[in-house]
Amino acid sequence: MKSMKRIFSVATWILSTTALLITACSKNDEPQPEAQLTFELSIDDTTSTTISYSITPSSDNLPYYAALYPASELSSERDIAVAATLLTMEAPYMGKQSFTAEELSPSNYYQVLYFGYDAESKSYLTDYIVSEQIRTDQYVISEALSLSVIEGSQTWRNAIVRIDASDQELEYIFDFMPKAEWKENYELYTLAIIAERIRQWEQDVEWGLEHYPELDTWQKYMQCYQLAGNRTINVSEYYNLRWDSEYVMYAFGMNDEGYQTTDVVTTEFATAKPVASENSFEIEINTVISTGVKFTITPTNTDPYFVTIQDKRYVDRFGEGKEESFEDMIWDLTFNKTDQQISSYIFSATQELTNESIGKTIDTLHEYQIVVFGFKDGPTTEVYISEVFQPTEV
């Protein structure tokens, strides 16, 4: 039994085989059999990605060559001659042989090219013989995935999801999106998410080919996202979640060749809603110098709050009547910070602070505002904004 994984590329061989190709394509040098050799070809088995076949020659002592090709590669006499010429560079077979061609495309057509040829005497023992077209099976989904949210794991910006695979070697793709987006675009036809991901990977190829020439197919980009086997996923490590929001996690099996191996599965979860605070704030700017500002925050209770200093142009992006809300501002100021980083902006009770208190550098070229909002596992009050100030030279 010989296993064959064969996809011939004429371009790869063209420099070293130019003379042979000319010979193969010359009408005067077409196969002219000198001895009688016949074959019996049998197709033993087909799957979505393999074709098994056997060849029985009429003589066990005469050499022959055989290989399976996509039918599109044997569509003309010249294609057949070129493939046959390249094939004779390999060792011949003798006697009955069984073959299995692997890593084929599902629902695609293939043909076996076979012929007798004596390389020593450079004489053909048969004409080129091309089989009838053989179609691989449609890809059958035989694996399974399941998703489940670990109870009690949801926080204001995280959740833990368990992925269970029917096979520890099963490779799959997963991601997250707001529930409203999933319902609008994918809930009624979940296969649309696979088409969308493939479109994105194809776009990656187009945009990245100049810098990453080795990633020249969408399947190669897809493999960068594959996981395998059972996993426990901290969502925040993969996706920036927003407090008090609903999300969908989806997953589907996909092998290295880009074929879907499981159904699309989903699970829903919601992040925790922060407990509202009745806190409110007064912001007083005390002293402004060229490189700093001193200010006082006076809250109405001891609940924790978040303090930052931002360029006025940034603050102007948000608010009523703007494209972005103050909630968008809070998310923008926190989503890319760890809990530890956020803690350096959190205070309680009355505080006299400076820009250095929160690690902020300011200069005389820009106008600034102090932004304050209650914060405990997410925002707990509305946003309060100071008057505008600009550092000046003393």
Side-chain angles (χ1 to χ4, degrees):
M1 173 77 71
K2 293 187 178 182
S3 177
M4 299 170 57
K5 298 182 179 180
R6 189 185 304 273
I7 302 176
F8 283 104
S9 171
V10 174
T12 305
W13 294 84
I14 195 69
L15 293 178
S16 61
T17 61
T18 300
L20 289 171
L21 297 184
I22 294 173
T23 299
C25 298
S26 171
K27 188 173 183 180
N28 295 331
D29 292 320
E30 290 178 351
Q32 298 177 7
E34 297 180 0
Q36 186 67 28
L37 183 62
T38 60
F39 300 97
E40 179 181 338
L41 171 69
S42 63
I43 307 303
D44 302 325
D45 186 40
T46 62
T47 69
S48 58
T49 59
T50 65
I51 293 176
S52 298
Y53 60 98
S54 299
I55 294 180
T56 304
S58 58
S59 171
D60 291 339
N61 301 314
L62 295 176
Y64 66 94
Y65 296 81
L68 185 85
Y69 298 85
S72 60
E73 295 184 14
L74 301 178
S75 59
S76 69
E77 291 184 4
R78 184 182 186 283
D79 291 340
I80 295 170
V82 168
T85 301
L86 295 174
L87 195 55
T88 59
M89 295 179 182
E90 302 188 10
Y93 299 104
M94 288 190 180
K96 181 178 180 179
Q97 299 288 338
S98 296
F99 308 86
T100 298
E102 300 177 326
E103 297 183 2
L104 306 179
S105 298
S107 301
N108 210 345
Y109 291 94
Y110 295 86
Q111 291 176 287
V112 180
L113 168 62
Y114 54 108
F115 57 93
Y117 178 72
D118 187 337
E120 292 186 5
S121 64
K122 297 183 179 179
S123 58
Y124 284 91
L125 309 180
T126 70
D127 291 323
Y128 301 139
I129 305 171
V130 178
S131 73
E132 296 293 326
Q133 292 188 357
I134 311 160
R135 187 178 185 180
T136 48
D137 300 340
Q138 184 177 358
Y139 201 94
V140 177
I141 292 177
S142 57
E143 302 291 349
L145 287 171
S146 65
L147 306 177
S148 57
V149 180
I150 295 180
E151 186 176 354
S153 67
Q154 300 94 322
T155 69
W156 70 280
R157 62 171 179 175
N158 194 22
I160 300 175
V161 180
R162 176 73 180 176
I163 303 177
D164 290 299
S166 59
D167 186 326
Q168 292 305 297
E169 301 299 319
L170 173 62
E171 295 175 314
Y172 51 85
I173 302 297
F174 75 91
D175 207 351
F176 310 86
M177 68 177 62
K179 181 179 177 180
E181 180 182 350
W182 178 267
K183 289 179 65 69
E184 179 180 357
N185 298 306
Y186 306 106
E187 186 174 54
L188 296 180
Y189 183 60
T190 58
L191 292 180
I193 191 59
I194 300 180
E196 173 59 19
R197 293 302 300 271
I198 292 174
R199 185 196 67 78
Q200 294 172 5
W201 292 319
E202 289 174 338
Q203 194 172 68
D204 288 339
V205 174
E206 181 180 349
W207 289 352
L209 199 57
E210 180 179 352
H211 300 288
Y212 306 101
E214 70 281 5
L215 299 176
D216 55 355
T217 67
W218 69 261
Q219 288 89 342
K220 292 178 182 178
Y221 270 95
M222 176 271 298
Q223 290 171 31
C224 298
Y225 295 87
Q226 284 175 320
L227 290 182
N230 298 337
R231 295 283 183 129
T232 299
I233 301 296
N234 273 286
V235 178
S236 61
E237 295 179 4
Y238 295 88
Y239 192 85
N240 291 315
L241 300 176
R242 193 161 171 161
W243 62 92
D244 192 23
S245 299
E246 294 181 306
Y247 293 91
V248 167
M249 177 181 179
Y250 67 85
F252 55 88
M254 181 166 279
N255 62 22
D256 288 350
E257 289 72 45
Y259 297 116
Q260 180 187 353
T261 58
T262 74
D263 293 325
V264 178
V265 294
T266 63
T267 189
E268 299 179 7
F269 61 93
T271 50
K273 181 178 181 178
V275 178
S277 168
E278 295 182 355
N279 212 355
S280 61
F281 308 92
E282 290 184 2
I283 307 170
E284 181 181 358
I285 297 174
N286 302 323
T287 306
V288 180
I289 60 175
S290 60
T291 59
V293 60
K294 294 182 179 180
F295 59 97
T296 301
I297 307 293
T298 305
T300 56
N301 63 36
T302 58
D303 291 347
Y305 56 90
F306 185 104
V307 180
T308 182
I309 300 174
Q310 295 295 322
D311 191 303
K312 178 181 181 297
R313 293 170 298 178
Y314 174 84
V315 177
D316 286 345
R317 286 171 38 191
F318 304 93
E320 187 176 351
K322 306 288 182 63
E323 290 187 5
E324 298 176 276
S325 67
F326 283 128
E327 279 204 356
D328 292 330
M329 174 195 283
I330 297 172
W331 188 77
D332 188 64
L333 291 171
T334 58
F335 83 90
N336 63 351
K337 293 181 175 65
T338 66
D339 288 346
Q340 183 175 359
Q341 289 171 328
I342 289 175
S343 67
S344 64
Y345 296 84
I346 301 297
F347 300 89
S348 63
T350 298
Q351 297 287 333
E352 292 184 356
L353 304 171
T354 68
N355 54 296
E356 294 178 349
S357 302
I358 53 176
K360 179 70 174 183
T361 300
I362 60 178
D363 57 51
T364 59
L365 301 177
H366 301 93
E367 295 178 314
Y368 298 92
Q369 290 177 282
I370 298 164
V371 176
V372 180
F373 49 86
F375 193 92
K376 184 178 181 181
D377 295 331
T380 59
T381 71
E382 62 183 354
V383 174
Y384 291 76
I385 300 173
S386 76
E387 61 184 284
V388 177
F389 67 90
Q390 182 171 6
T392 58
E393 297 290 347
V394 177

